[in-house]
Amino acid sequence: MAEIPTAAISRLVTYLRILEQLEAQDVSRTSSSDLAERAGVSAFQVRKDLAYFGRFGTRGMGYTVAILKRELVRVLGLNQTWNVVIVGMGRLGQAIANYPGASDYQFQYAGLFDVSPAIVGQQIRNLTVRHMDDLKTFVAQNKVDMGFLAVPPDRAQDAAQALVSAGVRGILNFAPVVIQPPTEGGAQEISDEWRAVIIENVDFLAGMKRLAFYILNPHLKDAPLTEDTE
Amino acid sequence: MAEIPTAAISRLVTYLRILEQLEAQDVSRTSSSDLAERAGVSAFQVRKDLAYFGRFGTRGMGYTVAILKRELVRVLGLNQTWNVVIVGMGRLGQAIANYPGASDYQFQYAGLFDVSPAIVGQQIRNLTVRHMDDLKTFVAQNKVDMGFLAVPPDRAQDAAQALVSAGVRGILNFAPVVIQPPTEGGAQEISDEWRAVIIENVDFLAGMKRLAFYILNPHLKDAPLTEDTE
């Protein structure tokens, strides 16, 4: 697994979502062509993406939905428990904490954090919102893996620094800003602390932009899928 | 523009986001290789995706960030005003209404809707939350283009039907369920009403899944980008 494009990982996540939908519709078999059509890529791309991680399905026979889903869950690491803190318990943080589906996988909200006196101390989903001053101790004591960042844009960098200093392994940034490792002394030196942390961004507005495009170009929505070859 | 894969449109949205980030960092020039690396695809793919829509930049000279951004905004239809209603004003609907950035483009929240007596009548962002009974009249009178669906999963299909009947051109579904056109009489007949509406889904959990994968496979995050050829 030395050289897998990040876009392939995003596609795996898409395939998994499609498999969940098929399962919810009681569809038990699928194929690379079927997955490809639903994902908007070519069947070749689907086969290539899956091939990075092993052999799934039988040549010419397609895939069993439940089995391929289970394998992708394993590949993505969703069969294990992830302890999560949410930083920023305004509307967005509360929406994340209450979003149905996160608990289908083993994302467990261990702690909720904010700095506002109006929010700290509130009960949300059976958890008491804590002050950011307690973040570092909490992360260490509760073996927290991930921080979801749901603060206003101008707070995002500082809150990310607090999560990095506290020792989380990854940050999922919902704020519409780029989180950047601080570079010291003008050099491109990234500290070991930041280098150890994975940062992923959620593009909250991406769906709105796709929708605008397809409203203007509805014929492309149903376009027969061409091979997305390079 | 007869045969553009849906995945290419998602990539355009990614490129636009990267250009916005570059602009925020005062970077004025970029290249297909630079965009490719940031997007996790190959430079060939970037050039191919852009070529669907015209010639941008000068061969061997790369792109001016501001110009390419302006062109993608135009291609995606984000230079025009979109009148939006949000259906479901619980935590998620409120988070969407207040998310910073939507107003950078011309998404204008014309109306907010719910069915809960506790929420209908509340003031959110200078708008009074209305009852779903008023949706159809409101959409017609206010030339509403899009509905953002932020209701609980078990309400999503009915709320989508209300938006379709009201005559919106597109629906952005934030609920973790598949919205499906009703099929009558067991046939695969989709009504004209539903056929005219574009439905896009937001995978709210996709970022969490990518983050889990990269925490387990951190070496892949910095992997040198290979050509994502087919």
Side-chain angles (χ1 to χ4, degrees), chain A residues 99-113:
Chain A
Y99 192 79
S103 51
D104 292 356
Y105 297 101
Q106 299 187 52
F107 295 102
Q108 295 188 346
Y109 296 121
L112 310 176
F113 288 83

Side-chain angles (χ1 to χ4, degrees), chain A residues 138-211:
Chain A
F138 186 90
V139 165
Q141 287 179 348
N142 294 276
K143 295 191 188 348
V144 170
D145 301 294
M146 303 174 175
F148 293 171
L149 207 54
V151 299
D154 59 347
R155 297 273 180 83
Q157 184 69 37
D158 285 351
Q161 179 64 60
L163 281 164
V164 169
S165 299
V168 299
R169 300 163 72 189
I171 295 174
L172 187 62
N173 172 36
F174 285 80
V177 288
V178 186
I179 302 298
Q180 293 196 293
T183 49
E184 284 160 30
Q188 294 286 341
E189 289 283 319
I190 297 174
S191 67
D192 290 345
E193 189 180 65
W194 275 84
R195 203 180 288 279
V197 178
I198 302 291
I199 299 177
E200 284 285 317
N201 295 292
V202 173
D203 188 352
F204 205 78
L205 305 178
M208 304 182 194
K209 296 171 184 171
R210 289 195 311 268
L211 183 59

Side-chain angles (χ1 to χ4, degrees), chain A residues 215, chain B residues 81-84 139 142-147 167-171:
Chain A
I215 287 177
Chain B
T81 302
W82 294 98
N83 284 330
V84 178
V139 165
N142 293 274
K143 294 190 185 359
V144 170
D145 302 294
M146 303 175 174
V168 298
R169 301 163 72 189
I171 295 175

Side-chain angles (χ1 to χ4, degrees), chain A residues 48 99 174 200 221 229, chain B residues 48 99 174 200 221 229:
Chain A
K48 187 181 168 194
Y99 192 79
F174 285 80
E200 284 285 317
K221 190 71 183 178
T229 46
Chain B
K48 188 180 168 195
Y99 192 78
F174 285 80
E200 284 286 316
K221 190 71 183 178
T229 47

Side-chain angles (χ1 to χ4, degrees), chain A residues 1-14 16-17 20-21 25 37-42 44-45 48-49 52-53 74-78 80 82 91-92 94-96 98-102 105 107 109 145-148 152-153 169-178 180 195 198-230, chain B residues 1-14 16-17 20-21 25 37-42 44-45 48-49 52-53 74-78 80 82 91-92 94-96 98-102 105 107 109 145-148 152-153 169-178 180 195 198-230:
Chain A
M1 303 213 303
E3 293 173 336
I4 304 175
T6 56
I9 305 308
S10 293
R11 287 192 295 268
L12 282 196
V13 169
T14 302
L16 174 56
R17 187 179 200 220
E20 291 165 350
Q21 292 171 347
Q25 294 163 27
E37 191 175 334
R38 293 168 191 270
V41 299
S42 71
F44 185 97
Q45 184 76 68
K48 187 181 168 194
D49 290 337
Y52 286 121
F53 300 98
R74 181 184 57 74
V75 163
L76 290 168
L78 299 171
Q80 64 184 74
W82 295 99
R91 299 178 195 91
L92 183 58
Q94 293 186 38
I96 295 167
N98 287 283
Y99 192 79
Y105 297 101
F107 295 102
Y109 296 121
D145 301 294
M146 303 174 175
F148 293 171
R169 300 163 72 189
I171 295 174
L172 187 62
N173 172 36
F174 285 80
V177 288
V178 186
Q180 293 196 293
R195 203 180 288 279
I198 302 291
I199 299 177
E200 284 285 317
N201 295 292
V202 173
D203 188 352
F204 205 78
L205 305 178
M208 304 182 194
K209 296 171 184 171
R210 289 195 311 268
L211 183 59
F213 177 82
Y214 280 115
I215 287 177
L216 294 177
N217 302 279
H219 58 288
L220 289 176
K221 190 71 183 178
D222 300 315
L225 191 77
T226 55
E227 285 294 300
D228 188 19
T229 46
E230 303 203 355
Chain B
M1 304 212 304
E3 295 174 333
I4 304 176
T6 58
I9 305 308
S10 293
R11 287 192 295 267
L12 282 197
V13 169
T14 302
L16 175 56
R17 187 180 200 219
E20 291 166 350
Q21 292 170 349
Q25 294 163 29
E37 190 174 335
R38 293 170 190 268
V41 298
S42 71
F44 185 97
Q45 184 76 66
K48 188 180 168 195
D49 290 339
Y52 285 121
F53 301 98
R74 182 185 56 76
V75 163
L76 290 167
L78 300 171
Q80 64 183 75
W82 294 98
R91 298 178 197 90
L92 183 57
Q94 292 187 36
I96 295 166
N98 287 283
Y99 192 78
Y105 296 103
F107 295 102
Y109 296 121
D145 302 294
M146 303 175 174
F148 294 172
R169 301 163 72 189
I171 295 175
L172 187 62
N173 172 37
F174 285 80
V177 287
V178 186
Q180 295 196 292
R195 201 180 289 280
I198 302 292
I199 298 176
E200 284 286 316
N201 294 292
V202 173
D203 187 352
F204 205 78
L205 305 178
M208 305 183 193
K209 296 171 185 171
R210 289 195 311 268
L211 184 60
F213 177 82
Y214 280 115
I215 288 177
L216 293 176
N217 303 278
H219 57 290
L220 288 176
K221 190 71 183 178
D222 301 315
L225 189 79
T226 55
E227 284 294 301
D228 187 19
T229 47
E230 302 202 354

